[in-house]
Amino acid sequence: MTDTASRTTPTTVTTTTADEINAAGIGLLVLRVGFGGLMAAYGAQKLFGWFNGPGLSATQDMFEGMGYNPGALFGTLAGLTELIGGLLLVFGLFTPLAAAIVVGTMINAINVLWSGGLFPADPSVQGYSTPLLFAIAAAALAFTGPGRFSLDHGRPWARQGVVWGGAAVALAVVTAVVTLILKGVL
């Protein structure tokens, strides 16, 4: 028996308009600048006392009290990672690395706030929903890339996609675990 029926494969032609390309780029710009700016501000609070922050000395004492000994090392490191990771995201520069920096820092913040739960019933207890949200936003940027309105766009070093996003998340998890191990042994 011979099959003489003609078979056609449905094809879908997708055209992306300039408006759609610009809209995606603007959306990623808004996300990067808003989110990265907030991360950088949190870092500036810890390091310099800007934006009603505690400043470096109080941050170091706070980290010492949370069991991150020496507090001088871990408090400074937390402020620097938030500031640098946030600024890199604002500018869309080395985006997978910037995202990894932020995700790793937020994993440690989640660890500190874990006992409070995701949404604590007691308003005086801080839960881990905010650092989780920040980690999700950073991980999303690791996969999508910074968009067309960024310093990475069109550069030879620009990286995005599943492999680079996965590598950024893996790097974040490894560095966060190393930090937590150091917290336990120092």
Side-chain angles (χ1 to χ4, degrees):
M1 176 185 266
T2 305
D3 183 2
T4 58
S6 63
R7 301 196 191 286
T8 60
T9 304
T11 58
T12 304
V13 177
T14 305
T15 57
T16 305
T17 65
D19 184 55
E20 291 169 328
I21 292 170
N22 286 332
I26 291 169
L28 287 169
L29 175 67
V30 168
L31 176 62
R32 278 192 359 263
V33 170
F35 170 63
L38 284 172
M39 283 306 310
Y42 280 122
Q45 283 184 312
K46 287 177 178 66
L47 294 173
F48 312 120
W50 296 354
F51 313 111
N52 299 315
L56 185 57
S57 180
T59 296
Q60 292 171 340
D61 292 343
M62 178 178 64
F63 272 75
E64 192 85 26
M66 290 186 295
Y68 284 87
N69 300 310
L73 170 69
F74 287 110
T76 304
L77 185 61
L80 285 172
T81 57
E82 289 177 356
L83 180 67
I84 292 169
L87 288 176
L88 288 174
L89 287 175
V90 165
F91 294 111
L93 185 61
F94 307 118
T95 304
L97 178 61
I101 290 169
V102 171
V103 171
T105 303
M106 292 302 103
I107 290 171
N108 273 273
I110 290 166
N111 177 67
V112 168
L113 300 171
W114 187 261
S115 63
L118 186 60
F119 301 111
D122 181 356
S124 68
V125 175
Q126 188 175 0
Y128 62 88
S129 60
T130 299
L132 178 61
L133 178 63
F134 285 0
I136 291 168
L141 285 169
F143 285 96
T144 64
R148 81 183 285 144
F149 303 109
S150 67
L151 293 179
D152 277 350
H153 182 71
R155 303 291 188 265
W157 66 78
R159 301 289 182 260
Q160 67 189 48
V162 173
V163 171
W164 285 96
V169 171
L171 176 62
V173 169
V174 167
T175 57
V177 167
V178 167
T179 302
L180 290 170
I181 289 170
L182 288 174
K183 174 190 174 195
V185 298
L186 292 180

